[in-house]
């Protein structure tokens, strides 16, 4: 089955700087790659997703890139703000879509003012 | 519109006791999921429902865990008897359509502590 590895486990950046979180996956059949943000005491919330037919997607300060050949994808947050502090999870799923999502271990992002 | 509602938010029990968690998904969402989230880890799927049918329960430890979604709306996850290793957050999620990659909407979770 699918295995998703996520790095780093913790990340601390200065406010205004950029943050990058990377994930690798094992199943070449995976075609859907969402990113979820989890704040303390809350459930995960989708922030951006990408499908295998595109290499990059942007939404304001957030972007995701996908390299299917290398089987890795990354989350980029620019101009970081204190409210970006949270735990971020990548995930991957195959032909059955979101129903077979496998999550990474998470990255705790801290934005220092 | 209300999101996914879970209860209780917190539960502390002694080992070997039973416990039950309840979930009400977003109205109109036919697909419902129960996930287990251990401390410092990503969510892991326990069971997925399409309406009232459990279509993927391969990760559910059936010796002590059970779930039901009798009318295809709200759902209950039960553990009997609970063990120390069951201490975790139990997340419920729902989504609009089956078979398509799309957004999962998570509840705030039920945090279980087994003493």
């Amino acid at each position: 089955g699918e295995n998703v590895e996520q790095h780093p486990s913790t990340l601390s950046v200065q406010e205004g700087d950029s943050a990058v979180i990377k994930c690798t996956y094992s199943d070449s059949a995976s075609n859907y790659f969402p990113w979820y943000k989890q704040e303390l005491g809350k459930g995960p919330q989708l922030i951006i997703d990408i499908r295998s037919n595109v290499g990059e997607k942007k939404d304001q300060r957030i972007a995701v890139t996908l390299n299917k050949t290398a089987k890795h994808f990354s989350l980029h947050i620019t101009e970081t703000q204190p409210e970006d502090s949270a735990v971020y999870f990548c995930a991957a799923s195959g032909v059955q879509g979101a129903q077979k999502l496998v999550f990474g271990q998470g990255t705790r992002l801290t934005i220092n003012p | 519109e209300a999101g996914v509602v879970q209860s209780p938010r917190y539960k502390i029990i002694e080992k070997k006791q039973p416990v039950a968690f309840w979930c009400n998904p977003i109205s109109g969402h036919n697909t419902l999921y129960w996930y287990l989230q251990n401390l410092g880890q990503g969510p892991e799927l326990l069971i997925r429902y399409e309406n009232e049918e459990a279509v993927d329960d391969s990760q559910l430890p059936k010796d002590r865990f059970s779930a039901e979604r009798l009318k295809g709306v709200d759902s209950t996850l039960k553990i009997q008897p609970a063990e120390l290793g069951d201490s975790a957050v139990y997340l419920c999620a729902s989504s609009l359509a089956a078979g398509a990659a799309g957004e999962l909407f998570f509840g705030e979770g039920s945090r279980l502590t087994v003493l």
Side-chain angles (χ1 to χ4, degrees):
Chain A
E2 177 66 277
N3 183 51
V4 177
E5 297 287 335
Q6 183 173 346
H7 300 279
S9 57
T10 60
L11 179 61
S12 182
V13 302
Q14 289 298 119
E15 182 178 353
D17 288 350
S18 296
V20 180
I21 303 170
K22 299 181 179 181
C23 289
T24 60
Y25 61 98
S26 60
D27 187 354
S28 57
S30 289
N31 57 11
Y32 176 63
F33 308 93
W35 286 87
Y36 282 80
K37 175 184 181 182
Q38 187 172 27
E39 297 177 340
L40 193 62
K42 305 283 189 182
Q45 184 174 15
L46 180 73
I47 56 171
I48 195 167
D49 56 11
I50 192 169
R51 300 172 197 275
S52 59
N53 56 345
V54 298
E56 184 176 1
K57 183 177 179 181
K58 288 184 180 180
D59 183 3
Q60 298 182 351
R61 298 186 296 108
I62 295 173
V64 56
T65 59
L66 171 65
N67 183 327
K68 286 221 67 176
T69 303
K71 290 190 284 188
H72 67 72
F73 56 113
S74 299
L75 176 72
H76 304 252
I77 306 174
T78 59
E79 301 174 13
T80 53
Q81 300 170 2
E83 54 264 36
D84 295 329
S85 294
V87 179
Y88 292 80
F89 293 98
C90 63
S93 72
V95 294
Q96 292 193 13
Q99 286 78 2
K100 287 288 187 182
L101 272 178
V102 175
F103 286 84
Q105 301 92 328
T107 296
R108 181 173 298 279
L109 175 63
T110 303
I111 308 301
N112 301 308
Chain B
E1 180 182 326
V4 176
V5 179
Q6 292 188 245
S7 67
R9 288 294 315 278
Y10 305 93
K11 189 73 176 180
I12 302 173
I13 60 172
E14 300 275 340
K15 62 181 180 181
K16 301 185 181 179
Q17 294 300 305
V19 63
F21 305 112
W22 176 81
C23 172
N24 191 38
I26 292 174
S27 178
H29 283 196
N30 295 326
T31 309
L32 183 146
Y33 316 75
W34 283 102
Y35 279 87
L36 166 70
Q37 187 173 28
N38 286 306
L39 187 64
Q41 300 293 318
E44 301 170 40
L45 181 68
L46 289 173
I47 190 168
R48 169 170 66 94
Y49 282 93
E50 298 294 345
N51 298 302
E52 64 273 12
E53 181 182 1
V55 297
D56 184 355
D57 62 356
S58 56
Q59 303 288 78
L60 190 72
K62 297 179 183 65
D63 56 337
R64 297 183 300 105
F65 286 66
S66 65
E68 60 183 16
R69 194 185 184 198
L70 294 177
K71 297 183 179 178
V73 181
D74 56 347
S75 176
T76 302
L77 176 70
K78 298 178 181 178
I79 308 174
Q80 182 172 11
E83 297 179 352
L84 295 177
D86 297 331
S87 295
V89 175
Y90 293 83
L91 292 165
C92 179
S94 68
S95 64
L96 190 57
E103 183 172 3
L104 300 188
F105 294 84
F106 284 88
E108 294 189 321
S110 294
R111 180 178 295 277
L112 174 64
T113 301
V114 182
L115 303 176

